[in-house]
């Protein structure tokens, strides 16, 4: 196994938000890490990449223990984290972003590495002198992935790459991810586009409230329509579910709420007997809440 995560606990200010996570990734394997908002997906990635310390547990990468190492050392070993929000500097140009990434790697084939990254994302070649802040969201995501590739990672952990992007662009990015896998780069994908993530990943984990509740083949999870549908906050909202077609991209309704607020809304929705999405619609004044049938309770 390329990555072996055993029983990790991690969190913030002494309070764990993930408890005893076990996770494995093989060479060239694409694995999806799924779960609702606030389940602890980003925290898991941060703990693996050394951005936050472990409270307990062990992580081995490429046969060696990496828990306790600084994030830069972990990245140098080939485990790269492309964070949610992409982690780019808005005032740098595209070219400088890639050159800086190559300089940080310090290899003597920098030019070749940059050329390879641009070959994977040709649109970046046309944007060489453009500042990052003026790129579209999709171009920024391509740049974040291209920058990651410059280090020639063995494992790329990509957090919410599709967030805010148009479905056609998302489809294109998923094709690139599949290509990474074919080239032997392993990928751990945290995604809101659950159907597409399960389409490219061989295996998947589901995280709920800081614990793994599913670990197994993606194909099996993809057949669980209730799971795939329920992963989108507000997708059904008490209405008839939209049919799922594998060849059809549905754009998820992404409502980014702080988890504490989400929990408060869920508690209130339970008390009032309405679906959370309907309650939000009521709060923002777009809809009248409908009575929620008990069977429609949203999974968490
Ligand atoms: P999302 O899909 O919303 O990004 P997630 O599954 O990635 O969710 P995390 O971002 O890992 O979830 O958050 C898990 C919990 O940890 C949440 O309750 C969140 O409020 C908390 N948390 C996340 N980052 C921090 C932080 N920097 N400081 C304190 N608490 C945090």
């Amino acid at each position: 196994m390329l990555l072996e995560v055993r029983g990790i606990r991690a969190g913030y200010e002494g309070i764990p938000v993930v408890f005893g996570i076990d996770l494995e990734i093989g060479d060239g394997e694409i694995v999806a890490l799924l779960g609702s908002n606030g389940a602890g997906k980003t925290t898991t990635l941060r703990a693996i990449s050394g951005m936050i310390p472990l409270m307990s547990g062990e992580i081995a990468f490429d046969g060696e223990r990496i828990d306790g190492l600084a994030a830069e050392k972990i990245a140098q070993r080939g485990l790269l984290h492309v964070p949610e929000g992409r982690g780019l500097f808005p005032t740098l140009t595209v070219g400088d972003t890639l050159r800086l990434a190559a300089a940080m790697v310090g290899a003597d084939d920098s030019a070749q590495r940059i050329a390879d990254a641009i070959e994977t994302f040709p649109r970046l070649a046309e944007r060489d002198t453009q500042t990052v802040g003026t790129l579209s969201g999709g171009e920024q995501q391509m740049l974040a992935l291209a920058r990651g590739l410059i280090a020639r990672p063995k494992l790329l952990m990509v957090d919410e790459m599709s967030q805010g992007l148009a479905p056609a662009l998302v489809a294109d990015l998923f094709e690139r991810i599949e290509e990474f896998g074919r080239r032997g780069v392993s990928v751990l994908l945290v995604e809101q586009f659950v159907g597409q993530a399960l389409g490219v990943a061989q295996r998947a984990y589901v995280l709920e409230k800081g614990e793994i509740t599913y670990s197994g083949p993606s194909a099996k999870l993809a057949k669980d329509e209730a799971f795939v549908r329920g992963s989108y906050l507000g997708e059904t909202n008490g209405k008839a579910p939209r049919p799922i077609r594998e060849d059809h991209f549905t754009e998820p309704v992404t409502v980014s709420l702080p988890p504490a607020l989400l929990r408060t809304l869920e508690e209130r929705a339970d008390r009032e007997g309405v679906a959370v999405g309907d309650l939000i619609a009521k709060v923002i004044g777009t809809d009248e809440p409908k009575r929620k049938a008990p069977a429609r309770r949203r999974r968490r």
Side-chain angles (χ1 to χ4, degrees):
M1 278 294 154
L2 179 64
L3 179 75
E4 290 182 66
V5 174
R6 293 278 166 257
I8 61 166
R9 277 159 65 90
Y12 308 93
E13 292 163 36
I15 301 166
V17 298
V18 294
F19 314 90
I21 304 286
D22 290 330
L23 187 147
E24 291 181 347
I25 303 179
D27 286 309
E29 196 177 27
I30 302 177
V31 173
L33 177 60
L34 308 170
S36 50
N37 290 117
K41 304 177 298 293
T42 297
T43 303
T44 303
L45 298 195
R46 286 182 184 145
I48 294 172
S49 61
M51 286 167 67
I52 57 170
L54 295 188
M55 292 170 175
S56 57
E58 295 178 0
I59 305 174
F61 181 65
D62 210 11
E64 287 181 37
R65 289 279 294 273
I66 56 163
D67 45 271
L69 291 184
E72 310 83 71
K73 298 274 177 221
I74 294 174
Q76 279 163 12
R77 291 184 182 209
L79 196 167
L80 235 82
H81 182 172
V82 180
E84 194 176 0
R86 296 147 196 155
L88 299 166
F89 298 108
T91 53
L92 278 188
T93 64
V94 169
D96 287 343
T97 301
L98 296 177
R99 282 186 284 277
L100 180 65
M104 284 170 76
V105 171
D108 45 20
D109 60 346
S110 290
Q112 187 57 48
R113 285 172 183 248
I114 293 171
D116 289 349
I118 288 177
E119 196 186 320
T120 309
F121 296 101
R123 204 193 292 196
L124 296 177
E126 305 153 23
R127 299 275 182 274
D128 188 67
T129 56
Q130 195 171 327
T131 52
V132 170
T134 63
L135 295 176
S136 72
E139 288 163 351
Q140 288 188 14
Q141 188 60 61
M142 288 176 199
L143 181 60
L145 291 170
R147 183 179 62 173
L149 286 183
I150 283 180
R152 301 220 173 117
K154 296 183 183 115
L155 170 63
L156 206 55
M157 300 197 298
V158 189
D159 198 354
E160 307 277 18
M161 71 170 184
S162 316
Q163 197 150 42
L165 303 184
L169 203 51
V170 172
D172 189 52
L173 287 172
F174 273 109
E175 277 176 28
R176 298 284 163 275
I177 294 290
E178 276 192 300
E179 201 180 306
F180 297 170
R182 283 196 293 273
R183 284 197 223 158
V185 179
S186 306
V187 183
L188 179 59
L189 265 186
V190 166
E191 257 306 325
Q192 300 233 345
F193 278 70
V194 170
Q196 284 71 51
L198 291 174
V200 298
Q202 287 100 47
R203 285 189 306 113
Y205 292 89
V206 176
L207 196 55
E208 283 180 42
K209 296 182 181 156
E211 290 179 298
I212 300 284
T213 54
Y214 175 86
S215 155
S218 304
K220 190 170 165 199
L221 195 58
K223 285 189 195 130
D224 182 347
E225 287 197 13
F227 169 77
V228 175
R229 234 179 10 243
S231 303
Y232 301 128
L233 173 63
E235 179 83 350
T236 56
N237 283 352
K239 299 175 191 113
R242 272 194 256 164
I244 296 172
R245 279 173 34 202
E246 275 179 20
D247 61 341
H248 178 78
F249 280 94
T250 54
E251 193 162 12
V253 180
T254 304
V255 183
S256 277
L257 296 176
L261 174 59
L262 183 57
R263 270 193 287 278
T264 307
L265 284 169
E266 282 176 335
E267 280 163 19
R268 192 174 142 192
D270 266 351
R271 276 201 309 276
E272 296 186 11
V274 296
V276 181
D278 287 339
L279 182 64
I280 294 169
K282 181 184 166 193
V283 170
I284 61 177
T286 58
D287 204 354
E288 283 298 309
K290 299 168 200 66
R291 284 282 139 193
K292 182 181 65 167
R296 288 234 175 267
R297 255 183 91 152
R298 207 172 62 78
R299 287 171 56 134
R300 284 281 299 166

